Amino acid sequence: MKMSSLILVSVLLPVAAGFLTWLVGRKGKNGAAKYISLITVALEYVFTFMLMRYIGKNVTIPAVFTVDLHFQVTAFQLTLVGLACFAWLMSTLMCLKTDDQARFRMFSLMSLGMTVGAFLAADFVTLVVFFVIMSIVNWFVVLHNGDEKAYNAGNSYIGSAIISTMLTMMGMFMMHHIGESLSFKTIAEVIPEVEKNATFYTAGILITIGYLTNASVFPFHTWQSKTYGAAPAVGSAFMSSAVSRVGVFAVCVVSTVIFAGDATFGMILLVLACLTMLAGGVFAIFASNMKRMIANVAMAQSGMIFLGVALSVIFGADGASAAKGAVMQTVSASLSVLCLYLCAAAVECKCGCTCLNSVKGAGKGKIALMVAFIVASFGVVGIPVFGGFAGISALYVSAGAYLWAQYALVVSLGLVLLALAKLFAVVFLDKTGEESGKLCTLSNVVLIVSAVGIVYAGLTVGKLADICLPFFGFESAEYEVSYMFIIKEIAIAAVCYCLFGRMLHKKEGKYVNAWPEGLDLEEKFYRPLFMTVLPYIGGFCARLAGSVFDWIVSGCDMIIKRGNENIAAKNEDDKFAVYPKDMETSRGTASTLAYGLALAGMVLVATFAWVLLRL
């Protein structure tokens, strides 16, 4: 099969299968719908392996809605596609026993197709096309439960997606003006000769902010915990471990194509990465919902990935080990967060929700659930043999040049360790909760397989990272192993428990979210900014622009008539373009001036739209 055909099938098959799943499910054939979704995800795995022979090649699919779609296959992009397929396979198997999920399965499969398309993009146009469609599709995944909590989270998610897309597209237009192309390869060749002026940095920063929002980097993270807390746990599983990696991929592209070796950009990204790591750890401690807690853990993991990306940009030609640490952390964090959310899905299936007050003791007697949770937690905090150790070790050593960044990494790991210890105590050790029923065999198998994937990644991720390094402009690199960060993170977790222990315990027999409501960035800053302040400023400017000509005319009139007050002037026509209500002609409103102006405006809009589409 040709490369273009293979990529088209990989992108469009899940979309078509999603519609088929929904139609079959609507007719009550839930069993057939389940297996259609499962077979589709399995086929995506097959297509991923078939694409391996095209590594290093590009392909263009011309004139799709007047836009040429450009794709490329590299080892790093194919690794992300493989992680996405694994995440969807595990999520699909976890909810295979659940009926009446036709709509969820449809949007889940459509999300898979769009995510694969975004990962294989070779230019910013193709990337943003699939990113936009992916965001819309995942919006319906967030809204699936249909309650007030889901609608609020959906509004937060789609609002963030719209704003980030607008910023990204503005940056794209400016970058196209600078580099005369939006192809990754072409921009990388042109950028060294481009003047690094304010326009250049503005374009690059706008694109970066748009995708940092998708990756939930502080302070653009406000949608994440709310969204993953309201979506079904299996939906949060593939969204946090695969969909959010589209933002990681895009920022990696910006870092290697636009800002390669730019120490200023690297330092900005490094600061944001450290803030993200610390914020994720702090929010995780305060959370009182299992899914929200894991979302904050995932946020801290994203910060660690960007720590490696930022260091690789700052170090330039010497940043191979930092880039390798970022790749290894991407793989291990995706698998670990996926496993944690699958554990949350199993708990949600038995308890009906994931609030800590409702899941107390829900894991007692469930060996597979406990093993999977422990393995995933060890992978997150970097215990040797498990997935996260290699990546975190490489990042810890690379960050030694900036001690404050190294300490931010260790403190974040300590906070995450403390949060996961709290969650383990609630789910598996709390004796006040009622014991729930046993998990089905399929759920146990899914949990064990996902845990085995974390261990396997811990043993092989170094070799995989070496294969992916050419995407960042490096060859294979060695990294120094360090165990010191483990001792430090345990010590920090113990100190934080002594300082914030009261916030981890119950109040009046219940777990509560101790985070102050006044520090909610979305409710106290972003919503007032975008829904009150900016609309007021825009309205004021519009009224000002609409009145300035009236003021000019009035001023000129006063100047002309000054000293000539006795001159008779003809009365103004106050009835211009105003027609009586009872006016009836054979042509109706077609004879009015307002109709003519509206028609002319429509023609102008249609003309401009046609010209833009032909560019």
Side-chain angles (χ1 to χ4, degrees):
M1 187 181 293
K2 294 182 179 179
M3 180 179 174
S4 57
S5 302
L6 192 56
I7 291 178
L8 272 180
V9 172
S10 300
V11 171
L12 297 180
L13 177 62
V15 177
F19 280 113
L20 181 60
T21 299
W22 179 72
L23 292 173
V24 172
R26 290 271 294 180
K27 295 182 179 180
K29 299 179 181 179
N30 292 312
K34 296 175 186 178
Y35 289 107
I36 290 173
S37 61
L38 182 60
I39 292 172
T40 302
V41 178
L43 287 174
E44 284 293 297
Y45 246 126
V46 175
F47 298 148
T48 302
F49 282 105
M50 292 174 67
L51 282 170
M52 292 178 66
R53 60 178 175 169
Y54 295 110
I55 289 179
K57 296 184 179 180
N58 299 354
V59 67
T60 299
I61 299 176
V64 179
F65 299 109
T66 73
V67 176
D68 292 342
L69 299 180
H70 302 274
F71 298 96
Q72 66 182 14
V73 179
T74 64
F76 180 60
Q77 292 173 279
L78 211 57
T79 298
L80 294 174
V81 173
L83 288 172
C85 292
F86 183 76
W88 259 274
L89 180 61
M90 295 295 102
S91 301
T92 303
L93 288 172
M94 181 58 76
C95 65
L96 199 63
K97 296 292 183 179
T98 307
D99 294 326
D100 300 327
Q101 298 287 333
R103 183 181 62 181
F104 176 81
R105 290 191 176 91
M106 176 181 70
F107 289 117
S108 171
L109 289 175
M110 293 174 68
S111 178
L112 171 60
M114 296 304 103
T115 304
V116 170
F119 281 146
L120 295 177
D123 70 337
F124 284 108
V125 175
T126 305
L127 180 58
V128 80
V129 166
F130 285 103
F131 176 79
V132 169
I133 302 174
M134 179 191 72
S135 299
I136 296 173
V137 169
N138 287 319
W139 180 39
F140 290 98
V141 174
V142 178
L143 296 174
H144 177 74
N145 289 332
D147 53 15
E148 184 178 358
K149 180 181 176 182
Y151 286 126
N152 290 335
N155 291 337
S156 178
Y157 177 78
I158 197 65
S160 299
I162 291 172
I163 294 171
S164 63
T165 302
M166 291 173 63
L167 293 174
T168 300
M169 294 187 70
M170 177 60 71
M172 284 169 48
F173 295 149
M174 297 174 67
M175 189 57 64
H176 185 272
H177 178 72
I178 295 171
E180 299 182 354
S181 175
L182 289 174
S183 169
F184 300 157
K185 183 178 179 180
T186 304
I187 292 178
E189 296 172 351
V190 172
I191 286 300
E193 303 175 0
V194 173
E195 181 184 358
K196 305 299 189 296
N197 53 21
T199 304
F200 169 80
Y201 281 103
T202 301
I205 293 298
L206 285 175
I207 296 174
T208 306
I209 291 176
Y211 289 116
L212 286 178
T213 303
N214 172 261
S216 65
V217 170
F218 185 91
F220 318 111
H221 67 284
T222 55
W223 62 271
Q224 189 196 41
S225 62
K226 184 182 295 186
T227 298
Y228 294 165
V234 289
S236 299
F238 64 74
M239 287 179 67
S240 62
S241 60
V243 172
S244 65
R245 298 298 177 253
V246 173
V248 172
F249 165 69
V251 175
C252 289
V253 170
V254 173
S255 301
T256 56
V257 170
I258 299 177
F259 292 114
D262 192 310
T264 302
F265 172 80
M267 188 57 65
I268 294 173
L269 188 59
L270 181 63
V271 172
L272 293 178
C274 293
L275 291 175
T276 303
M277 291 188 295
L278 294 173
V282 172
F283 295 154
I285 288 179
F286 284 92
S288 60
N289 183 286
M290 188 176 183
K291 289 191 291 187
R292 284 201 168 201
M293 186 178 292
I294 298 172
N296 292 319
V297 170
M299 176 182 170
Q301 296 289 293
S302 296
M304 296 175 194
I305 295 171
F306 288 117
L307 173 66
V309 176
L311 291 174
S312 69
V313 174
I314 294 173
F315 295 154
D318 298 324
S321 60
K324 185 173 182 178
V327 174
M328 292 190 290
Q329 185 62 15
T330 300
V331 175
S332 61
S334 299
L335 295 174
S336 299
V337 171
L338 170 65
C339 188
L340 286 174
Y341 266 116
L342 292 177
C343 293
V347 172
E348 185 179 51
C349 179
K350 292 301 177 182
C351 300
C353 69
T354 55
C355 177
L356 294 188
N357 297 307
S358 301
V359 302
K360 292 183 290 188
K364 290 187 293 187
K366 300 177 179 63
I367 304 301
L369 179 62
M370 181 182 293
V371 170
F373 185 89
I374 292 175
V375 170
S377 300
F378 284 176
V380 166
V381 298
I383 302 300
V385 179
F386 299 93
F389 172 74
I392 295 175
S393 179
L395 295 175
Y396 176 80
V397 175
S398 298
Y402 300 93
L403 290 179
W404 53 273
Q406 191 178 64
Y407 281 117
L409 172 62
V410 175
V411 171
S412 174
L413 288 170
L415 295 174
V416 168
L417 175 61
L418 183 57
L420 291 174
K422 169 189 174 180
L423 186 56
F424 181 84
V426 172
V427 176
F428 297 100
L429 303 180
D430 198 315
K431 298 180 180 180
T432 61
E434 298 180 1
E435 186 174 351
S436 57
K438 295 182 179 180
L439 297 176
C440 66
T441 303
L442 180 59
S443 297
N444 289 327
V445 171
V446 170
L447 292 172
I448 294 300
V449 170
S450 61
V452 170
I454 296 173
V455 177
Y456 180 75
L459 300 174
T460 61
V461 71
K463 296 180 180 179
L464 178 61
D466 284 333
I467 300 174
C468 297
L469 278 182
F471 181 87
F472 297 86
F474 302 107
E475 300 298 330
S476 60
E478 299 294 331
Y479 65 94
E480 185 179 346
V481 176
S482 175
Y483 298 90
M484 185 57 65
F485 73 89
I486 301 175
I487 300 173
K488 291 181 178 179
E489 72 173 282
I490 295 174
I492 290 173
V495 171
C496 291
Y497 180 80
C498 296
L499 295 176
F500 308 110
R502 291 183 178 181
M503 299 177 183
L504 302 176
H505 294 109
K506 306 174 188 177
K507 290 185 179 180
E508 298 180 358
K510 293 184 178 180
Y511 292 98
V512 296
N513 188 349
W515 185 256
E517 293 184 1
L519 297 180
D520 189 329
L521 265 180
E522 180 175 340
E523 297 296 334
K524 301 301 180 180
F525 179 73
Y526 287 119
R527 284 184 181 269
L529 176 65
F530 288 105
M531 301 181 70
T532 304
V533 177
L534 293 182
Y536 177 82
I537 295 174
F540 176 78
C541 293
R543 290 191 295 271
L544 184 64
S547 302
V548 67
F549 290 103
D550 291 337
W551 295 341
I552 293 174
V553 171
S554 298
C556 293
D557 187 62
M558 291 175 61
I559 294 173
I560 293 173
K561 292 181 178 180
R562 186 176 182 181
N564 299 297
E565 290 80 2
N566 297 325
I567 296 177
K570 185 179 179 180
N571 292 332
E572 295 182 357
D573 183 7
D574 295 332
K575 304 299 183 181
F576 180 72
V578 178
Y579 304 93
K581 295 182 179 179
D582 57 349
M583 176 182 177
E584 293 290 342
T585 65
S586 59
R587 291 180 292 173
T589 58
S591 61
T592 64
L593 175 64
Y595 180 85
L597 291 175
L599 188 61
M602 292 171 60
V603 172
L604 285 174
V605 170
T607 303
F608 283 126
W610 182 82
V611 171
L612 290 173
L613 289 175
R614 299 303 299 175
L615 289 178

